[in-house]
């Protein structure tokens, strides 16, 4: 689907089948600059059941919530974007939902609310650093890896220290005896422009929001 200003445009032939789960992917192409820098969310509503869910977009796409596919008919879709107090919304398009003979279970765990989706993304933020026995440095978040690994010098050259900085758009690293800064991860990947990133003298990585 394409988005031009506030108009959502459906490509011809789009349809899906009831009872589908973790299958129907929605991709959006934002064609006009009024969407730049916004956090984008898709809204889905089953016209028959009234079930309505919002899903935050990642790479301008998302999986359609299974709850809106529990009955045939139509699913209405729109998109909105926010940036501070700025909000832009679109018109609605309808996707046909066909019948199926499948009569099994009607879903899995409930789709997360937008608030729960935000919390899930925040949990992916870096809050620690690890260095494994093979000499790789990795940003960590609640013991899960975040971003790219850094290959530290091999034995014989160990002792070269590294430093980290926030360029405003990227978390960068370099050896202290080098002028070449390399990208570890973008701040956009770490969620939003309000990210604070510091490395204390005791080696702790501190991430703040807001």
């Amino acid at each position: 689907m394409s988005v031009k200003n506030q108009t959502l445009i459906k490509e011809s032939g789009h349809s899906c089948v009831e009872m589908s789960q973790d299958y129907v992917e929605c991709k959006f192409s934002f064609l006009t600059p009024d969407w730049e820098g916004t956090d984008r969310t898709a809204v889905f509503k089953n016209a028959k059941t009234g079930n309505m869910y919002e899903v935050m977009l990642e790479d301008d796409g998302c999986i359609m919530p299974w709850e809106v596919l529990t009955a045939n008919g139509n699913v209405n879709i729109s998109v909105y974007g926010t940036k501070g107090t700025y909000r832009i919304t679109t018109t609605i398009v309808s996707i046909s939902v066909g019948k199926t003979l499948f009569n099994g279970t009607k879903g899995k765990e409930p789709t997360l609310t937008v608030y729960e989706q935000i919390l899930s993304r925040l949990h992916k933020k870096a809050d620690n650093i690890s260095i494994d026995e093979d000499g790789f440095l990795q940003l960590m978040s609640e013991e899960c890896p975040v971003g790219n690994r850094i290959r530290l010098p091999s034995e014989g050259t160990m002792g070269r220290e590294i430093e980290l900085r926030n360029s405003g758009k990227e978390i960068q690293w370099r050896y202290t005896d080098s002028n070449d800064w390399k990208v570890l991860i973008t701040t956009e990947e770490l969620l939003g422009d309000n990210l604070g990133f510091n490395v204390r003298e005791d080696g702790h990585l501190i991430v703040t929001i807001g």
Side-chain angles (χ1 to χ4, degrees), residues 60-155:
D60 291 338
C62 68
I63 298 296
M64 188 180 295
W66 64 266
E67 291 96 335
V68 300
L69 294 171
T70 55
N72 63 290
N74 290 295
V75 170
N76 297 325
I77 304 172
S78 65
V79 183
Y80 67 85
T82 58
K83 181 172 56 177
T85 58
Y86 178 88
R87 181 191 300 121
I88 183 170
T89 62
T90 70
T91 54
I92 298 170
V93 300
S94 292
I95 301 293
S96 174
V97 181
K99 290 185 177 181
T100 183
L101 293 178
F102 176 77
N103 194 31
T105 58
K106 292 191 175 183
K108 49 170 190 175
E109 295 182 359
T111 298
L112 298 179
T113 65
V114 169
Y115 176 70
E116 291 169 332
Q117 293 171 48
I118 291 173
L119 289 180
S120 177
R121 290 193 181 187
L122 290 177
H123 289 162
K124 297 179 182 178
K125 282 185 164 294
D127 57 19
N128 203 351
I129 293 177
S130 71
I131 301 177
D132 65 25
E133 59 185 11
D134 295 319
F136 282 96
L137 181 147
Q138 174 73 64
L139 287 181
M140 304 294 293
S141 174
E142 297 185 345
E143 301 183 358
C144 295
V146 177
N148 301 319
R149 296 193 302 172
I150 300 172
R151 176 65 175 178
L152 297 178
S154 58
E155 188 175 355

Side-chain angles (χ1 to χ4, degrees), residues 183-195:
V183 177
L184 178 62
I185 191 171
T186 66
T187 53
E188 183 178 7
E189 290 178 276
L190 287 172
L191 183 64
D193 299 327
N194 296 324
L195 176 70

